[in-house]
């Protein structure tokens, strides 16, 4: 993708009018009830978790929250969750497993919060625990990257049987700006970094890291309709699998990431 197109795409994901988790639960699900707290420290507003129905199927919904206004974003820490946010997500995921509810996650974060308090409360452990536990959940897990899929902060709720990306979303091991700062000591070269990292939905689909791209459409109505259709189809596929088949499919999906051929002459 050329830099001009990539720049426009990165601008789109930061658009304040872009649908967020609160919009998604209102337009796609019914009977949503948000649940709070990790039962260890507190409640993290940056992580929205609750139970709802998709069509008539009970599901657990987990998503990183961004706002439409500056104050909303400040209240939600711009979607950057603390350890208690990831622990709340895991608590709800384990509850979903207990009651055989599918888990649906919406990813939109620049990364997990890296402040001193978050580190003191075990940010790294919380994300690592989620990776370990989500891999072993005995219930279907679906993740949709709706905007930014930033590093471990995104992966903390993106270990799923099927992962989808919105047409204009990005998914990366590090933010382009952070990458440019490290490689070239020049954050202004973020477009060069983004191009090198290959972080678009088309790139990730080509690499086999996601199952599909969800078209965003020309209206918000089509945006929600397309997500709902993708989730409905995914659930139908996964509900036909046994618990053991779900675990095997999820394991194999991530086990093949990073496979390469060594063509170095001996």
């Amino acid at each position: 993708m050329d830099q001009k197109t990539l720049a426009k795409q990165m601008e789109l994901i930061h658009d304040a009018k872009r649908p967020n988790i609160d919009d998604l639960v209102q337009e796609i699900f019914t009977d949503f009830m948000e649940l709070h707290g990790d039962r260890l420290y507190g409640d993290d507003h940056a992580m929205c978790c609750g139970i709802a129905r998709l069509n008539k199927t009970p599901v657990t919904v987990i998503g990183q929250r961004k706002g439409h206004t500056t104050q909303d974003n400040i209240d939600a820490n711009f979607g950057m969750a603390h350890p208690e946010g990831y622990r709340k997500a895991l608590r709800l995921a384990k509850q979903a497993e207990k009651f055989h509810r599918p888990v649906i996650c919406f990813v939109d974060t620049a990364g997990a919060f890296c402040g001193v308090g978050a580190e003191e409360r075990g940010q790294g452990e919380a994300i690592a625990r989620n990776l370990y536990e989500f891999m072993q959940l005995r219930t279907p897990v679906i993740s949709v990257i709706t905007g930014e899929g930033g590093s471990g902060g995104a992966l903390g709720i993106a270990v799923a049987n099927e992962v989808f990306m919105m047409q204009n979303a990005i998914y990366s091991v590090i933010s382009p700006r952070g990458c440019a700062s490290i490689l070239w000591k020049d954050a202004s070269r973020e477009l060069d970094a983004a191009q090198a990292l290959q972080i678009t939905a088309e790139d990730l689909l080509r690499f086999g890291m996601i199952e599909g791209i969800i078209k965003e459409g020309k209206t918000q109505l089509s945006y929600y309709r397309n997500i709902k259709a993708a989730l409905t189809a995914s659930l139908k596929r996964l509900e036909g699998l046994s618990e053991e088949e779900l675990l095997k499919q999820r394991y194999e999906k991530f086990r093949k990431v990073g496979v390469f051929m060594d063509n170095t002459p001996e």
Side-chain angles (χ1 to χ4, degrees):
M1 182 179 291
D2 64 87
Q3 286 199 359
K4 186 176 180 180
T5 305
L6 189 57
K8 183 175 179 60
Q9 185 168 332
M10 292 177 67
E11 184 179 339
L12 280 172
I13 65 170
H14 292 104
D15 187 345
K17 296 180 181 178
R18 192 173 180 84
N20 62 18
I21 183 64
D22 296 302
D23 301 319
L24 294 170
V25 297
Q26 181 177 337
E27 299 295 334
I28 296 174
F29 303 92
T30 57
D31 304 318
F32 178 73
M33 178 184 294
E34 186 171 359
L35 301 176
H36 300 275
D38 67 344
R39 295 185 179 175
L40 289 171
Y41 178 81
D43 186 46
D44 186 359
H45 194 57
M47 191 75 77
C48 175
C49 304
I51 53 177
R53 292 182 188 273
L54 177 63
N55 301 317
K56 294 183 179 180
T57 303
V59 296
T60 290
V61 181
I62 298 170
Q64 284 140 343
R65 178 181 271 124
K66 287 184 178 179
H68 292 305
T69 67
T70 300
Q71 188 57 51
D72 287 342
N73 273 318
I74 291 172
D75 292 342
N77 202 35
F78 293 83
M80 296 184 291
H82 293 75
E84 50 269 25
Y86 290 100
R87 289 172 180 139
K88 175 171 65 171
L90 179 57
R91 179 173 77 83
L92 268 292
K94 297 297 285 186
Q95 182 195 78
E97 179 184 54
K98 177 180 178 180
F99 293 104
H100 308 289
R101 286 193 302 265
V103 178
I104 298 175
C105 301
F106 294 100
V107 178
D108 188 11
T109 183
F113 188 59
C114 58
V116 173
E119 297 298 336
E120 288 175 342
R121 297 194 298 277
Q123 184 71 286
E125 188 279 338
I127 294 173
R129 175 64 60 180
N130 275 29
L131 304 186
Y132 177 82
E133 297 287 356
F134 268 71
M135 185 63 74
Q136 301 182 87
L137 284 178
R138 306 182 77 84
T139 194
V141 184
I142 305 167
S143 284
V144 181
I145 298 154
T146 59
E148 292 181 281
S151 192
L155 198 57
I157 58 170
V159 174
N161 294 94
E162 294 192 355
V163 179
F164 299 91
M165 288 180 69
M166 299 307 296
Q167 182 180 353
N168 292 311
I170 62 173
Y171 195 18
S172 61
V173 69
I174 187 174
S175 71
R177 182 170 289 268
C179 179
S181 298
I182 293 170
L183 290 184
W184 300 299
K185 305 295 187 288
D186 183 0
S188 68
R189 293 187 63 182
E190 62 177 330
L191 284 178
D192 292 327
Q195 201 167 29
L197 286 168
Q198 301 186 63
I199 59 179
T200 67
E202 290 82 1
D203 293 327
L204 275 293
L205 183 63
R206 188 174 72 253
F207 296 150
M209 294 184 67
I210 62 172
E211 277 59 52
I213 300 171
I214 302 175
K215 298 292 184 182
E216 299 194 9
K218 296 182 179 180
T219 66
Q220 286 199 350
L221 180 62
S222 58
Y223 183 97
Y224 300 127
R225 185 186 295 129
N226 292 347
I227 294 178
K228 187 171 184 178
L231 292 176
T232 301
S234 179
L235 271 184
K236 188 174 182 180
R237 287 191 295 271
L238 296 175
E239 285 176 345
L241 302 179
S242 67
E243 289 185 357
E244 293 305 320
E245 288 171 330
L246 281 172
L247 294 176
K248 182 179 179 182
Q249 184 269 352
R250 196 181 306 145
Y251 173 81
E252 291 178 348
K253 169 183 168 58
F254 285 91
R255 192 69 180 87
K256 69 182 181 182
V257 172
V259 171
F260 64 93
M261 299 297 291
D262 185 358
N263 295 320
T264 306
E266 293 183 0

